[in-house]
Amino acid sequence: MRRTVAAAVDALRRGELVILPTETVYGLAGDAGRLETVAAIFAAKGRPSFNPLIAHVADLEAARRIGVLDARAEALALRFWPGPLTLVAPVLEEAPVCDLARAGLGTVALRAPAHPLAQEVLRAFAAPLAAPSANRSGRPSPTRFEDAAGETGSSAAAGLDGGPCRIGLESTVVSLLPGEPARLLRPGGVVRSELLEVLGVLIDADDVEDARRSPGRLAAHYAPEAPVRINVLAPAEGEAFIGFGALEEDPDLNLSRRGDVAEAAANLFTLLRRADASRPRAISVAPVPRTGLGEAVNDRLERAAGRVG
Ligand code: TXA
Ligand code: MG
């Protein structure tokens, strides 16, 4: 696997796949306009092709050439881009994002990532990159280069090591469709209170309806090999325990000893992987408050535990 920005851009131009760091999680990126490339992304992840991919762009100007951004979408992009926010909007007919990347939907998911290496690649490539998280489908997202390389690296011609991801869980996904209130499809790096400051109104995804519209909300996501139990105060015999906050018996694995939900988000997928590596009977996780980034942490934990969908 080649490891320079020039090699990564060169691979993308040839329709090959690249492991790309972002501030949220590592992505497996390819030219969003090329059907064979997008098909190779789905194959590398073992991902069902009805689950659409995010089109990554350098900035708002590039996004305007792909989707129909209304006043709400523009306001969100101006405030949070580049950053951990994905906007779902109607797709423009001439957009260079193939049907397969959108799973045939009339909408497109757009995000401008903040990581300097992602920005460098997007500016040089100058076209949208389809980039799902670089895990195999259903597994925890990779937040370190080694984890991404271990998951889907064999399908990538190039990969960039951008260090551990600052946020550690995926972008927030908000849909902004004509005649509909803004809808939170996936909690993530931009938290609900920040969205509300810009939007005023934000409704929640309805799990049944939106599982159809945003199939990423289906169950058995982010799951390690071992079964996961959540909101556990005292682990059972043989379980790997992941704590949160200052605990009387301090476990080896703790999402945040100082009880900080942002630190917990950054550590979540790495600790799930580390707990799994000891091949325990089950992984149990202490309760994490739902405030701020805690909403997204709990969303991922509930899905890892198979509680949603
Ligand atoms: O932080 C992130 O968003 C990472 C990094 C690599 O950018 N990417 C990521 O991609 O999480 P992925 O493919 O793992 O998740 C994309 C989510 C899925 O839940 C998918 O269903 C939803 O976005 N999505 C994509 N296109 C959509 C559309 N047109 N309408 C509704 N949901 C969509
Ligand atoms: Mg994913």
Side-chain angles (χ1 to χ4, degrees):
M1 193 195 285
R2 289 170 307 148
R3 303 278 293 268
T4 64
V5 169
V9 174
D10 183 55
L12 291 168
R13 291 207 175 109
R14 285 197 308 238
E16 296 173 330
L17 309 188
V18 168
I19 295 207
L20 188 70
T22 85
E23 74 281 21
T24 58
V25 301
Y26 276 79
L28 181 65
D31 186 339
R34 277 164 85 150
L35 177 66
E36 336 72 79
T37 301
V38 173
I41 295 177
F42 279 101
K45 282 182 60 79
R47 174 159 166 154
S49 58
F50 54 75
N51 192 3
L53 307 179
I54 296 169
H56 294 71
V57 292
D59 53 25
L60 177 55
E61 205 189 316
R64 288 188 188 122
R65 294 194 290 266
I66 301 171
V68 184
L69 304 181
D70 65 13
R72 301 169 299 181
E74 289 269 341
L76 286 172
L78 284 170
R79 167 85 185 268
F80 298 112
W81 279 3
L85 178 65
T86 296
L87 304 174
V88 173
V91 68
L92 287 169
E93 210 169 302
E94 65 275 21
V97 177
C98 68
D99 252 32
L100 181 61
R102 292 180 289 102
L105 298 173
T107 56
V108 63
L110 291 159
R111 166 162 124 81
H115 195 291
L117 286 174
Q119 277 287 327
E120 218 182 306
V121 169
L122 282 164
R123 287 191 189 281
F125 187 61
L129 289 176
S133 48
N135 51 288
R136 300 211 20 101
S137 191
R139 302 209 355 102
S141 303
T143 56
R144 290 159 188 270
F145 179 74
E146 316 79 84
D147 295 338
E151 291 274 336
T152 53
S154 61
S155 307
L160 299 175
D161 185 350
C165 298
R166 179 167 57 83
I167 295 180
L169 46 73
E170 299 80 357
S171 61
T172 304
V173 182
V174 177
S175 92
L176 300 146
L177 301 180
E180 287 187 22
R183 197 183 286 252
L184 180 61
L185 295 182
R186 178 175 76 182
V190 171
V191 305
R192 185 185 289 269
S193 58
E194 294 175 304
L195 296 170
L196 279 169
E197 279 170 28
V198 175
L199 288 170
V201 181
L202 177 67
I203 66 169
D204 274 333
D206 155 1
D207 266 311
V208 180
E209 170 69 5
D210 287 301
R212 245 174 281 134
R213 288 206 244 179
S214 188
R217 293 188 58 82
L218 291 172
H221 257 73
Y222 316 109
E225 300 294 327
V228 175
R229 290 202 305 132
I230 56 178
N231 298 321
V232 171
L233 295 173
E237 188 70 37
E239 282 184 342
F241 182 59
I242 303 178
F244 176 85
L247 297 170
E248 238 168 70
E249 260 182 77
D250 192 26
D252 287 346
L253 305 180
N254 195 321
L255 289 165
S256 171
R257 290 201 162 80
R258 59 173 200 268
D260 175 356
V261 286
E263 187 182 24
N267 287 331
L268 177 65
F269 289 131
T270 316
L271 291 192
L272 283 176
R273 281 172 191 281
R274 207 177 292 164
D276 215 20
S278 64
R279 305 208 159 275
R281 231 166 34 123
I283 298 170
S284 55
V285 188
V288 177
R290 288 181 182 273
T291 47
L293 269 169
E295 182 179 5
V297 172
N298 277 284
D299 173 79
R300 304 306 189 273
L301 283 171
E302 283 160 14
R303 286 167 205 285
R307 291 258 184 105
V308 182

